[in-house]
Amino acid sequence: MGVDIDELAKRLETQVLEDAKEVFSDTVIEYAYNPRNMGELRDANGVGKLMGTCGDTVQIQIRVENEKISESRFITDGCGTSIACGSMLTETITGKTIKDALAITSDALLHSLDGLPEENVHCSVLAVNVLREAIRDYRKSRSDK
Ligand code: FES
C-alpha cells in the first residue's frame, strides 16, 4: 500500500497548527502564518539588526519621510513568534511618527498579539529593541549630513 505524501503532509500541517493553537493566541498564529511586511525594503533610510539572547537575529528596515514611517519591513531567521512580532510591529508603526513608534513598548506589542507564552516574551522585547535601533540609525544618518 502506497503512502499518500500530500495527504500525510496535510495531516502533519493540521496537527502542527492544532498544537500551536494550544499555546498561542489566534492573532499570533495569524501573523506568524501570514506574515506582513517580511523581506527587504529597498530604499530604507534606517536599519536595525540585533541578535537576541536566544541566538536569533531580527532586522527591521524603515523608510522615514517627513518624520513619519512610510514603510517598514523585517527579516528574521528566528522562531514563528519572531515572525509574528515583526509582522505586527511593522504593521503598527507604518504611518506613525518616529516619536510615536519609539513610544511602543514590548508590553504594547504583547498586548496587540493577545499575549505570548512566558518563554516567548523575549521575542517581543527583541523586536522592539530592533525597531529602536532602526530609528537610531535613521537619526544618525540625518545628523551625519
Ligand atoms: Fe529567538 Fe523567538 S526570537 S526564540
Side-chain angles (χ1 to χ4, degrees):
M1 198 175 83
V3 179
D4 184 336
I5 299 290
D6 286 346
E7 178 57 33
L8 190 63
K10 204 180 270 178
R11 261 195 279 158
L12 268 176
E13 203 177 299
T14 308
Q15 186 58 50
V16 168
L17 194 58
E18 270 165 23
D19 290 351
K21 277 185 177 165
E22 285 180 17
V23 181
F24 296 104
S25 71
D26 289 348
T27 311
V28 170
I29 291 171
E30 164 60 23
Y31 278 75
Y33 278 78
N34 299 298
R36 276 69 159 179
N37 309 313
M38 195 155 79
E40 289 272 347
L41 179 62
R42 277 211 203 128
D43 41 0
N45 52 11
V47 180
K49 186 177 180 181
L50 290 174
M51 183 186 278
T53 49
C54 56
D56 297 331
T57 303
V58 175
Q59 183 188 75
I60 293 180
Q61 299 171 307
I62 54 174
R63 185 169 62 247
V64 182
E65 290 165 310
N66 302 321
E67 294 302 290
K68 264 194 183 163
I69 298 173
S70 56
E71 202 175 342
S72 69
R73 296 180 76 81
F74 78 98
I75 299 169
T76 180
D77 60 5
C79 60
T81 312
S82 70
I83 296 174
C85 289
S87 293
M88 180 59 87
L89 191 56
T90 52
E91 193 176 84
T92 305
I93 61 174
T94 302
K96 282 207 178 348
T97 62
I98 53 173
K99 189 168 169 257
D100 288 346
L102 268 178
I104 296 170
T105 61
S106 55
D107 276 351
L109 179 56
L110 278 180
H111 186 75
S112 314
L113 289 166
D114 296 324
L116 282 173
E118 193 55 41
E119 61 268 31
N120 292 98
V121 168
H122 72 273
C123 313
S124 65
V125 174
L126 177 61
V128 167
N129 285 341
V130 174
L131 170 62
R132 291 178 181 167
E133 277 294 314
I135 293 173
R136 203 170 299 147
D137 182 57
Y138 161 72
R139 285 183 165 164
K140 186 177 177 306
S141 67
R142 284 187 52 102
S143 66
D144 286 348
K145 280 180 186 162

